[in-house]
Amino acid sequence: MPTLLQILPQIPCFLAHTTNRTHTTHPTHNATITITSTTRTNTTLQVVASTKPTKTQSQSPTKTNEDDYYATLKALNSKGRSPRKSLGQHYMLDSSINEQLACAADVKDGDMVLEIGPGTGSLTNVLLNSGATVLAIEKDPYMAAIVGERFASIDRVKILQEDFTRCHIRSHLLSYRKSHSSDDDSQYAKVVANIPFNISTDVVKLLLPMGDIFSEVVLLLQDETALRMVEPSLRTSEYRPINIFINFYADPEYKFRVPRANFFPQPKVDAAVVAFRLKQSSDYPPVSSIKSFFAMVNSAFNGKRKMLRKSLQHICTSVETEEALAKLGLSATSRPEELTLDDFVRLHDLIVKL
């Protein structure tokens, strides 16, 4: 039976000041704590504990306790670390959100999953519990050591201490898959990650064109960024080249919002989960050259609210751009934020023939 001293540290500080009768259940010991308070300082605690194993206690060997605030601090303190702002480190404190992340990607037994920035391993733990084989890329050498030690006894996880934005992810993944060969060598991998907000665009640009090896990319992003990527509005400043890029390579879906209080340290903004279902190359919009297409798109958006006949002058003359726009049923004064992905595809097709 757990002692009072074992349970007390788990009681949130604010309960000591409550004026109501409160019941809370200890997550691992099935202990009910009743707190009755008539003043701020006169508090009576009644602890009713049971040694009956809960679901948490009867987990499989790979499962560990929830990655709450205390577990996160303990992991960081083990290496004398604190979250580094320069690396955008914000650790998830709610394991149920990690479970929703895995669920959004439909992670199941036998899946190969790439995780970016595993931190203390809270999401890694959920992915392993789902039966997946995990390749985790961690830039911070201290965090790579923490998560490596945590799962040292499990052969379904590999930790690479590298900068994801600079590593050769394709070769790493193919090599790791070969060492964990399955009956289905053509199986697509998935990406499930709680990434630093400051590398969101870089990660999206690197992963979305890899539809030949990934089927799904599920990322926890800054909420504002998530909305911009998934639900941009035409004719607004929020509509940018990244929106054309995303819809060219994937079908994005905004899944759910994650309040900032679920992170340590707490960021200044909320987060959100976005799922990108990657397209195969045969499903890409029909362009003669992907490289020249995006060169045209990026040029089109150069200069705030510039008309296309001006921003595309280094590709063709203003008259030629106006004629191409007219063939598409668009105004000669059209600006890039007024064109859909399909409009850009057709415009590119006309321009490359000039």
Side-chain angles (χ1 to χ4, degrees), residues 73-279:
L73 282 185
K74 182 179 179 180
L76 292 172
N77 289 338
S78 71
K79 298 294 181 183
R81 305 297 292 170
S82 59
R84 296 176 62 186
K85 186 176 180 180
S86 62
L87 295 179
Q89 292 175 335
H90 296 280
Y91 302 107
M92 174 57 63
L93 302 178
D94 189 343
S95 59
S96 68
I97 293 176
N98 285 328
E99 290 168 0
Q100 292 178 65
L101 262 171
C103 184
D106 190 27
V107 176
K108 54 188 180 297
D109 188 45
D111 280 349
M112 176 73 71
V113 177
L114 169 69
E115 184 185 3
I116 305 161
T120 61
S122 60
L123 176 57
T124 315
N125 189 54
V126 170
L127 296 172
L128 291 171
N129 290 343
S130 299
T133 297
V134 180
L135 175 63
I137 312 292
E138 173 60 61
K139 181 178 181 179
D140 187 334
Y142 294 94
M143 301 315 297
I146 287 175
V147 75
E149 292 169 7
R150 177 174 180 175
F151 302 109
S153 63
I154 302 175
D155 62 1
R156 288 186 292 110
V157 59
K158 181 176 181 180
I159 313 299
L160 292 179
Q161 194 270 298
E162 291 193 43
D163 181 346
F164 176 79
T165 62
R166 297 183 179 183
C167 75
H168 300 286
I169 187 57
R170 183 183 294 273
S171 60
H172 283 317
L173 184 69
L174 294 178
S175 174
Y176 189 51
R177 175 186 285 171
K178 186 176 181 180
S179 66
H180 287 73
S181 59
S182 62
D183 295 334
D184 182 9
D185 291 333
S186 63
Q187 178 189 22
Y188 292 102
K190 298 175 179 178
V191 181
V192 184
N194 169 12
I195 62 175
F197 295 160
N198 58 359
I199 63 170
S200 298
T201 300
D202 292 336
V203 170
V204 167
K205 286 184 175 180
L206 282 169
L207 291 175
L208 265 54
M210 294 186 181
D212 58 323
I213 58 175
F214 296 115
S215 61
E216 196 95 15
V217 174
V218 176
L219 303 175
L220 197 155
L221 309 168
Q222 182 177 330
D223 187 45
E224 182 181 341
T225 300
L227 289 170
R228 252 198 334 259
M229 288 185 172
V230 177
E231 302 173 358
S233 298
L234 287 172
R235 299 179 177 82
T236 69
S237 59
E238 299 302 318
Y239 191 65
R240 304 173 185 179
I242 189 64
N243 301 116
I244 304 298
F245 180 92
I246 289 172
N247 286 281
F248 187 97
Y249 287 113
D251 294 315
E253 181 182 357
Y254 184 103
K255 289 293 188 178
F256 57 90
R257 187 176 65 85
V258 180
R260 65 195 75 177
N262 290 288
F263 297 90
F264 171 76
Q266 182 172 304
K268 296 180 181 179
V269 294
D270 293 333
V273 172
V274 174
F276 302 90
R277 184 170 294 277
L278 303 197
K279 298 176 183 178

Side-chain angles (χ1 to χ4, degrees), residues 293-322:
F293 172 73
F294 282 111
M296 183 199 76
V297 170
N298 290 328
S299 295
F301 281 88
N302 280 341
K304 190 175 181 179
R305 288 189 56 77
K306 263 190 178 182
M307 288 183 284
L308 291 168
R309 64 186 182 189
K310 295 290 185 181
S311 59
L312 297 180
Q313 279 184 327
H314 68 292
I315 299 176
C316 57
T317 66
S318 296
V319 173
E320 289 172 331
T321 300
E322 290 176 1

Side-chain angles (χ1 to χ4, degrees), residues 41-56:
T41 58
N42 184 19
T43 302
T44 303
L45 287 84
Q46 177 186 358
V47 179
V48 181
S50 169
T51 57
K52 179 181 179 182
T54 63
K55 183 178 180 181
T56 304

